[in-house]
Amino acid sequence: MSSPITSFTDEALIAFDTLADRASNLIQPTLRLGVTGLSRAGKTVFITALVHNLLHGGRLPMFEAAHSGRLARSFLEPQPDDAVPRFQYEDHAARMISDRIWPDSTRAISELRLVVEYESASGWNRFFSGGRLCLDIVDYPGEWLLDLPLLGQDFAAFSLNAASLARSPVRADLAAPWLEKAGTIDPHKPADEADARELARLFTDYLRACKQDERALSTLPPGRFLMPGDLDGSPALTFAPLPNLPDTPAPKGSLMAMMERRYESYKSVVVKPFFREHVARLDRQIVLIDAMQAMNAGHEAVIDLERALSDVLSCFRPGSGSLLTSLVSRRIDKVLIAATKADHLHHESHDRLEAIARRIVERASSHIGSSGADIEVLAMAAVRATREATVRQDGEELPVIVGTPLDGERIGGELFDGKRKTAIFPGDLPKNPDAFFKAVDAASKPPLPDINIVRFRPPLIEETENGIKLSLPHIRLDRALDYLLGDRLA
Ligand code: GDP
């Protein structure tokens, strides 16, 4: 447990950070937007598409400020935090638009400042803000948020939780090598670096296996084991829970004492600074989830997504959590949960995906507090890689989506080369999500929605007669922007 002294110090620091931010906010209106989600949820693609659409006057009819013609211009400026890597927007955009290859995914934190100049709808605001908003976009792995509960757990509690999850039926086979090895080691034996490294490696392998496509389980803490950032190989990451801890305290110089110390270092040098320096300073947050992949993988993956989302949301809706929990989240007033990659579905199913995502969010938030940030849910595709069409078959019109499957992608035994287009029937989501969740709750195998998830290449961007590339097509990105930024551009 963190001592009251430590918590007080954190509080003082957070108050200071916030104050400094507020002071500069008076001179220069700024909105810090956090973009997170578990790996492969679509963070890099989302930020690239958002910035590209704002820089190039994309089609954003549901984003009021854009639709009413009040956006004057947007441009990139150096970011305010020198110690945080810059989000490499230009590289990502070039890969996606010129090469039609998806960009490299988020591996650590990065930041980008976009300045939006606009004409305020109200004379009062025009006078005060001068119609200029600095949007600081902060991209970070959702895995890192899952570390928050660790701050309230000592090493024994962490080990107990990790072991009981690892022994659950859906994970037991994946965790077997780690559990077996840990079972042969006496926690009271003398500390040995080789043991620590072996246990950390086996534990990390197990966490990685949970993420494989066919299992699609969400990550468990420690979040840096799969997303180490620049800490790869450091002692603060070379530990693992010990499943068979004796009740007696760790003898000096024992393996258990070493693991305990490193676990505490992980919390103090990795987890706390991350929350204090980054999460605590955010104003708004978007959380991307890949609900379709979870549904495709089955009942356990959906339950698991709910569990991870519940941990993520508790960072923004603290309820009656610990002191630190309430501190990190007091500033964020709006959270958008966006189910991504809606372009894998025909538009008739977009509302259904949204309804399912809403149910997942409701279920996840039933475990946490109801005060704190306002939460909204949306189905979206930051980049639309497909177009819709209809195919006639046996006198019936079938809705299909058309796109270019990635090089090496297989559909029904047919291998694609990354050049040829194809039309697929994307499948249907259940009209009423209730049936699906009833089956999930009954732990009976719910009827899996019959969706075909094909990985398509990014779309070919058309050019105008003057050779100007049009902006990236999307689905409902404009609604996301309206919710996240609209009131700050009023
Ligand atoms: P990150 O780990 O959250 O940064 O995830 P990325 O943004 O790198 O996205 C992971 C992968 O998901 C990409 O390589 C794409 O294949 C796919 N993806 C992400 N967003 C979209 C989208 O809007 N439409 C489609 N069709 N695919 C997407």
Side-chain angles (χ1 to χ4, degrees):
M1 287 288 278
S2 53
S3 71
I5 301 271
T6 326
S7 299
F8 181 73
T9 317
D10 287 331
E11 182 182 23
L13 278 172
I14 291 167
F16 177 76
D17 279 346
T18 311
L19 217 69
D21 283 349
R22 293 248 162 94
S24 73
N25 213 351
L26 281 179
I27 307 163
Q28 179 142 261
T30 303
L31 183 74
R32 283 180 85 82
L33 171 66
V35 178
T36 198
L38 299 177
S39 70
R40 314 287 299 158
K43 299 177 287 295
T44 313
V45 172
F46 170 79
I47 298 173
T48 309
L50 179 159
V51 173
H52 191 269
N53 271 282
L54 286 176
L55 288 181
H56 299 280
R59 254 183 54 75
L60 303 165
M62 302 299 281
F63 182 26
E64 191 278 331
H67 183 63
S68 60
R70 292 192 294 105
L71 292 188
R73 80 180 171 127
S74 300
F75 52 93
L76 296 173
E77 252 192 9
Q79 67 198 50
D81 303 287
D82 291 336
V84 179
R86 180 175 182 275
F87 180 86
Q88 295 301 355
Y89 164 75
E90 294 80 359
D91 297 351
H92 297 322
R95 269 176 81 89
M96 208 145 61
I97 294 165
S98 309
D99 307 340
R100 291 185 63 203
I101 299 173
W102 295 107
D104 290 339
S105 299
T106 301
R107 308 288 312 160
I109 190 162
S110 66
E111 184 178 318
L112 187 71
R113 169 168 280 194
L114 179 75
V115 180
V116 182
E117 288 183 348
Y118 64 99
E119 194 178 314
S120 175
S122 100
W124 183 252
N125 283 355
R126 242 192 321 264
F127 179 74
F128 272 106
S129 69
R132 189 183 146 100
L133 179 72
C134 294
L135 178 64
D136 289 332
I137 303 171
V138 183
D139 173 31
Y140 63 92
E143 282 77 2
W144 295 3
L145 285 177
L146 301 181
D147 280 339
L148 187 70
L150 298 188
L151 295 180
Q153 291 170 17
D154 60 12
F155 183 66
F158 162 65
S159 292
L160 202 71
N161 286 344
S164 78
L165 267 170
R167 290 185 181 119
S168 64
V170 59
R171 296 176 192 268
D173 59 326
L174 306 176
W178 165 63
L179 283 169
E180 248 165 54
K181 172 77 187 170
T184 63
I185 290 186
D186 172 11
H188 282 187
K189 71 172 281 214
D192 176 17
E193 189 63 38
D195 283 339
R197 282 180 44 193
E198 173 80 346
L199 286 169
R201 185 184 64 76
L202 289 170
F203 189 67
T204 309
D205 286 349
Y206 146 61
L207 295 184
R208 192 170 294 122
C210 294
K211 291 281 304 173
Q212 297 305 315
D213 274 358
E214 59 288 359
R215 211 58 82 98
L217 296 170
S218 303
T219 310
L220 297 172
R224 303 276 167 145
F225 278 37
L226 293 190
M227 287 281 158
D230 53 5
L231 290 165
D232 209 3
S234 64
L237 259 58
T238 313
F239 68 92
L242 292 172
N244 307 315
L245 276 188
D247 283 340
T248 44
K252 230 174 154 197
S254 65
L255 180 72
M256 179 175 163
M258 180 191 200
M259 294 293 207
E260 225 166 45
R261 196 181 58 247
R262 289 184 176 180
Y263 171 73
E264 290 303 327
S265 301
Y266 179 77
K267 292 199 296 184
S268 60
V269 301
V270 178
V271 183
K272 278 191 187 172
F274 167 66
F275 277 95
R276 194 171 59 212
E277 288 157 26
H278 301 296
V279 184
R281 293 173 56 212
L282 298 174
D283 300 302
R284 303 263 157 100
Q285 177 68 56
I286 177 166
V287 181
L288 304 173
I289 57 170
D290 195 342
M292 276 190 296
Q293 200 203 18
M295 280 189 293
N296 217 25
H299 153 257
E300 287 89 359
V302 175
I303 296 276
D304 210 64
L305 176 62
E306 259 176 49
R307 186 189 49 73
L309 198 58
S310 179
D311 282 349
V312 165
L313 291 179
S314 64
C315 301
F316 311 123
R317 266 201 178 171
S320 52
S322 71
L323 177 62
L324 195 76
T325 326
S326 55
L327 284 171
V328 292
S329 48
R330 64 181 171 187
R331 193 164 137 156
I332 294 179
D333 60 348
K334 284 185 174 195
V335 177
L336 179 63
I337 316 286
T340 54
K341 310 178 192 176
D343 57 329
H344 286 106
L345 298 168
H346 202 262
H347 72 265
E348 284 154 9
S349 281
H350 294 165
D351 285 342
R352 294 183 190 178
L353 176 61
E354 208 160 287
I356 289 169
R358 184 159 284 124
R359 287 300 297 275
I360 294 177
V361 171
E362 276 165 13
R363 291 161 59 97
S365 42
S366 68
H367 312 298
I368 57 167
S370 57
S371 66
D374 183 33
I375 296 180
E376 188 52 62
V377 181
L378 192 71
M380 180 188 81
V383 172
R384 174 179 207 142
T386 62
R387 300 180 87 147
E388 295 188 354
T390 46
V391 166
R392 239 179 199 293
Q393 200 178 45
D394 305 331
E396 225 191 311
E397 297 235 313
L398 284 180
V400 292
I401 54 174
V402 182
T404 314
L406 290 185
D407 188 9
E409 192 77 353
R410 263 180 200 284
I411 309 174
E414 196 181 342
L415 183 67
F416 283 82
D417 60 0
K419 296 190 185 94
R420 199 154 45 93
K421 279 189 189 172
T422 190
I424 63 157
F425 176 62
D428 267 334
L429 290 180
K431 231 185 232 151
N432 177 357
D434 285 348
F436 182 75
F437 286 102
K438 257 191 205 132
V440 166
D441 285 336
S444 60
K445 297 271 175 250
L448 285 182
D450 189 16
I451 35 180
N452 295 309
I453 301 187
V454 170
R455 292 177 311 146
F456 292 106
R457 283 182 72 183
L460 180 68
I461 309 290
E462 282 151 30
E463 282 184 16
T464 62
E465 283 169 5
N466 314 331
I468 299 170
K469 289 239 179 203
L470 297 177
S471 60
L472 282 162
H474 61 84
I475 296 168
R476 300 186 181 176
L477 176 68
D478 46 352
R479 293 196 203 183
L481 286 170
D482 202 61
Y483 175 73
L484 293 168
L485 313 181
D487 59 331
R488 297 297 302 270
L489 301 170

